[in-house]
Every structure is written in structure tokens, then in C-alpha cells.
């Protein structure tokens, strides 16, 4: 995008140092922040913004929306948009966009990275050899994926990729719950739809791929956990709020849940809040990195840039969020 007098005031938040050049090349006049901005700072530093392009940790709250008088477009560089107050933005006629598919395969791949690391004791095995200078297998008997029942919650872009890898690659029995089932997706990816109750009851492993909505907040709670198989494994790469952390901790303590593999947490901005969870030996937590791979990052930016350019050129804007 060339530098013009009429370019809107564009503010990019949470840009990694290595991506700054990319943004500058496309939007030389844009203001770029390489960190998460708290509400107060967004209000102070982005007051002139017409376009704001955050990742997921800078919350675009009602206060932010009401304090930025020129704001016309919010384009989040993420699939999820639960960090944006959609109602407040909608009231002000602000366009909200996301990047709906920048590489759903990378998140699906991370699900299996977590499962294999945990169930095959990769981290402990490596530690035994590297730190302890020992080389024996006792105590590290793994759990195979083949033949296990995998229950998927949400069969959108990520969930269906997980189903494909699980059924065709690992030869697992895959079933899923989604309020909007798609028979063709099920047929193509070798899984069947069922109800939530059956997912809880039959799954050896449950993996979450639904958005965080009022209807999915704390979907994994005391009651749903009690309906699960003893020794169930839970994987969450969706949003931390889909799991009630206290119920998860109780489930781990009672051994109802044998492992939890989490890329997302309810309290990502405050790791101290999660300390009880972090301490479990049978819990693996990665710091929200499922999306973060070589090919996905380029696509996130190119899609976000395309949306901003459509806005500038007054073209039809695709990728508008329809979450209201
Ligand atoms: P998507 O919109 O393609 O699919 C979401 C699916 O969830 C849809 O099929 C929808 O019908 C279903 N759904 C809605 N409500 C449901 C409910 N109550 N129960 C079960 N299913 C329900 O989204 P996607 O691209 O597959 O991404 C899914 C989620 O993964 C995102 O919303 C985001 O929060 C998360 N995500 C995480 C990372 C990461 O790095 N960890 C990266 C990208 C996305």
C-alpha cells in the first residue's frame, strides 16, 4: 500500500519483532505496538485509530470501542474473536473481521503433538536421557492412539482436520458433537456425529474445537466430567474458558481425568492463577502456540492486510464476523 494523504490511521497491536518489517512494508504509516496493550493504554495510545488490528490478548472492550471515536474496522489476526465486544462494536456500526482460516492444519497437528508427547512420555524420556544421563524404558510405558475412541467437540475447520488425521492416520474411532452437523464433512473425514452425552460416555480422549461462546463457556465442568469415562484424556486447543479450571483440577486429583493437554488456559494473562494446574505431572501446557508455525503466520498477515486493503479501497469486505 503506497503512502497517501488519505490513508486511514491504522494501529497494529501485539506484532512480533520479526513481523514488524512485513507490516511496515505494507502500511508504512501504521502505528505498530509489539506488546499487549491493556484497556487503558489502548484508549490512550490508539485514540485516533480508524482501523485496529490486534491479536487476542489486547481486549477490545466496550470502553475501548466507546473511547475511539474514529474507529471503523477491527480486524483481529485470529480465528477466535471472544476478546472483542461484538455488541458494543455493532452498536457503533464498526466492522469486525477475523482471519477464519490461516492454517487449521497447524492447530490440528499440535493436538497430536500434545497427545503423542504426553501419552508416549516424550518429555520425561528426553529428560531421563539428557538430564539424568540414564537410558532405560521402565516406567515410561505409553498409550497407543490406534483403536481408541476420540470425541471431538466442534467439527469446523480445525475439528475436521483432527478427525481426518485421527481416523485415516492413527486409525482411531472418531465421533463428534456439533450443533451444526455436516454430513459431507463427516463422510469425507471418516467420523460420525453423536450427542454430547455419548461423547462424554464413550470417549477415551476428548478434544475441544468449538469457539468460546456463552453456550460453550465451562462446557467441561463438574457435571460433564462426572459423565466421562474413568481415566479420560482431555485436550484443549480452543479457548481456556471452555473448561472450568476448578472442575478440571478436581477431576485430575480424583484420577477421573488421567491427562490434560492444554494449549489454552482460562487465565492466560495471569499464569499464577493457573499454578495448581501447572504442577500436575500428567498435565502438559503449551503457551497458546498451536497456531504459531512457519506457514500459518505469513497467511495470518496476508489475510489481515487484504481485509484492510478492501476497507481502504471501499471494496466488499470478506471475513466479517457474524457472531451476533
Ligand atoms: P470454526 O468456526 O471453523 O469451527 C467451530 C465449530 O464449532 C463450528 O462447526 C461450530 O458449529 C461448532 N460449535 C459452535 N458451538 C458449539 C457447541 N456448543 N458445541 C460444539 N460445537 C460447537 O472454527 P475453527 O477454525 O475450527 O476454530 C475453533 C476454535 O479454535 C476457535 O474458535 C478458536 O477459539 C480456537 N483456535 C485456537 C488456536 C490456538 O492457537 N490454540 C488457533 C486457532 C483457533
Amino acid at each position: 500500500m503506497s503512502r497517501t494523504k488519505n490513508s486511514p490511521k491504522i494501529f497494529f497491536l501485539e506484532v512480533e519483532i520479526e513481523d514488524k518489517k512485513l507490516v511496515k512494508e505494507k502500511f508504512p504509516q501504521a502505528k505498530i505496538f509489539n506488546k499487549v496493550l491493556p484497556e487503558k493504554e489502548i484508549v490512550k495510545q490508539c485514540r485516533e485509530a480508524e482501523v485496529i488490528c490486534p491479536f487476542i490478548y489486547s481486549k477490545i472492550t466496550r470502553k475501548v470501542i466507546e473511547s475511539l471515536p474514529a474507529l471503523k474496522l477491527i480486524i483481529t489476526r485470529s480465528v477466535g474473536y471472544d476478546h472483542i465486544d461484538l455488541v458494543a462494536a455493532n452498536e457503533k456500526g464498526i466492522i469486525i473481521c477475523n482471519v477464519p482460516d490461516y492454517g487449521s492444519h497447524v492447530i490440528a497437528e499440535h493436538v497430536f503433538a500434545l497427545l503423542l508427547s504426553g501419552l508416549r512420555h516424550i518429555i520425561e524420556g528426553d529428560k531421563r536421557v539428557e538430564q539424568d544421563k540414564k537410558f532405560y524404558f521402565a516406567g515410561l510405558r505409553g498409550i497407543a492412539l490406534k483403536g481408541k475412541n476420540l470425541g471431538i467437540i466442534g467439527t469446523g475447520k480445525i475439528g475436521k482436520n483432527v478427525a481426518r488425521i485421527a481416523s485415516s492416520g492413527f486409525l482411531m474411532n472418531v465421533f463428534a458433537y456439533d450443533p451444526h452437523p455436516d454430513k459431507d464433512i463427516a463422510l469425507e473425514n471418516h467420523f460420525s456425529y453423536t450427542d454430547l452425552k455419548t461423547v462424554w460416555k464413550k470417549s477415551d480422549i476428548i478434544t475441544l474445537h468449538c469457539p468460546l461462546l456463552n453456550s460453550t463457556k465451562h462446557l467441561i465442568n463438574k457435571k460433564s466430567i462426572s459423565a466421562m469415562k474413568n481415566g479420560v484424556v482431555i485436550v484443549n486447543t480452543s479457548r481456556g474458558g471452555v473448561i472450568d479450571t476448578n472442575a478440571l483440577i478436581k477431576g485430575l486429583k480424583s484420577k477421573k481425568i488421567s491427562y490434560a493437554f492444554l494449549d489454552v488456559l482460562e487465565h492466560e494473562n495471569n499464569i499464577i492463577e493457573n499454578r495448581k494446574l501447572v504442577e500436575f505431572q500428567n498435565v502438559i501446557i503449551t503457551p497458546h502456540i498451536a497456531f504459531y508455525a512457519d506457514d500459518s503466520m505469513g497467511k495470518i498477515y496476508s489475510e489481515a492486510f487484504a481485509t484492510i486493503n478492501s476497507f481502504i479501497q471501499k471494496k466488499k469486505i470478506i471475513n466479517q464476523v457474524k457472531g451476533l
Side-chain angles (χ1 to χ4, degrees):
M1 178 70 10
S2 61
R3 197 180 164 95
T4 68
K5 235 180 155 184
N6 295 328
S7 291
K9 302 260 186 318
I10 307 172
F11 287 65
F12 283 82
L13 314 184
E14 302 171 66
V15 174
E16 296 283 303
I17 299 289
E18 62 255 51
D19 298 323
K20 201 171 163 184
K21 194 165 159 248
L22 195 70
V23 178
K24 268 280 167 224
E25 268 169 20
K26 285 279 173 195
F27 300 104
Q29 289 165 302
K31 183 106 177 120
I32 302 170
F33 296 90
N34 68 354
K35 58 181 182 191
V36 177
L37 292 189
E39 186 184 64
K40 216 168 81 191
E41 284 301 305
I42 306 179
V43 169
K44 194 169 141 199
Q45 310 247 28
C46 309
R47 206 167 153 73
E48 294 183 301
E50 290 170 67
V51 176
I52 198 159
C53 184
F55 182 53
I56 59 169
Y57 294 114
S58 299
K59 309 282 179 219
I60 312 299
T61 60
R62 175 173 284 278
K63 179 150 198 310
V64 166
I65 288 164
E66 289 178 349
S67 308
L68 307 183
L71 190 61
K72 293 188 185 70
L73 172 69
I74 303 166
I75 157 72
T76 179
R77 300 189 309 280
S78 59
V79 176
Y81 41 81
D82 44 279
H83 54 297
I84 302 169
D85 189 325
L86 299 186
V87 177
N90 200 42
E91 278 169 20
K92 286 195 70 188
I94 293 166
I95 303 166
I96 313 152
C97 295
N98 66 344
V99 180
D101 193 4
Y102 51 79
S104 42
H105 60 285
V106 297
I107 296 109
E109 287 174 15
H110 196 74
V111 169
F112 293 94
L114 287 168
L115 274 169
L116 293 173
S117 301
L119 299 183
R120 302 306 299 269
H121 306 298
I122 303 297
I123 298 166
E124 293 141 282
D126 181 56
K127 182 177 164 284
R128 181 175 290 184
V129 178
E130 192 176 326
Q131 280 183 27
D132 305 343
K133 311 280 182 248
K134 292 185 174 146
F135 201 95
Y136 64 93
F137 56 72
L140 299 183
R141 185 179 297 195
I143 296 172
L145 294 179
K146 184 180 172 191
K148 296 292 188 307
N149 289 346
L150 177 71
I152 300 180
I153 304 292
T155 55
K157 292 174 292 295
I158 299 169
K160 74 175 181 195
N161 267 296
V162 170
R164 174 182 51 78
I165 298 169
S167 55
S168 306
F170 288 104
L171 308 179
M172 302 178 81
N173 309 314
V174 185
F175 40 89
Y177 168 74
D178 193 308
H180 306 290
D182 182 326
K183 280 192 188 135
D184 293 337
I185 284 181
L187 208 65
E188 272 166 35
N189 298 286
H190 310 287
F191 71 89
S192 56
Y193 282 107
T194 185
D195 54 21
L196 261 186
K197 236 170 122 182
T198 309
V199 173
W200 303 150
K201 191 170 158 209
K202 280 178 53 180
S203 303
D204 299 302
I205 300 166
I206 295 172
T207 182
L208 306 173
H209 301 292
C210 55
L212 177 62
L213 306 167
N214 287 337
S215 59
T216 59
K217 186 167 164 59
H218 289 185
L219 186 70
I220 304 297
N221 56 35
K222 192 176 165 200
K223 191 164 171 229
S224 52
I225 291 172
S226 71
M228 292 174 195
K229 264 189 179 182
N230 288 334
V232 65
V233 175
I234 294 180
V235 187
N236 191 11
T237 58
S238 65
R239 283 290 181 269
V242 178
I243 298 183
D244 174 350
T245 309
N246 289 329
L248 180 69
I249 289 171
K250 280 189 187 136
L252 285 159
K253 272 190 185 152
S254 71
K255 308 233 178 335
K256 177 81 182 176
I257 299 167
S258 60
Y259 293 93
F261 304 135
L262 314 168
D263 184 53
V264 287
L265 295 173
E266 226 179 334
H267 312 287
E268 289 184 14
N269 287 333
N270 184 1
I271 189 70
I272 302 296
E273 277 282 319
N274 301 285
R275 67 186 179 285
K276 283 191 192 147
L277 203 52
V278 174
E279 283 163 9
F280 282 97
Q281 286 301 304
N282 45 349
V283 171
I284 296 179
I285 301 174
T286 49
H288 205 134
I289 56 171
F291 75 100
Y292 199 48
D294 49 359
D295 56 348
S296 52
M297 288 312 289
K299 182 113 189 278
I300 286 184
Y301 276 101
S302 65
E303 293 271 311
F305 293 163
T307 296
I308 297 172
N309 281 331
S310 298
F311 171 78
I312 294 172
Q313 291 157 18
K314 298 191 170 36
K315 287 189 183 156
K316 186 171 187 283
I317 299 181
I318 52 166
N319 297 341
Q320 286 196 46
V321 163
K322 299 173 194 76
L324 284 169

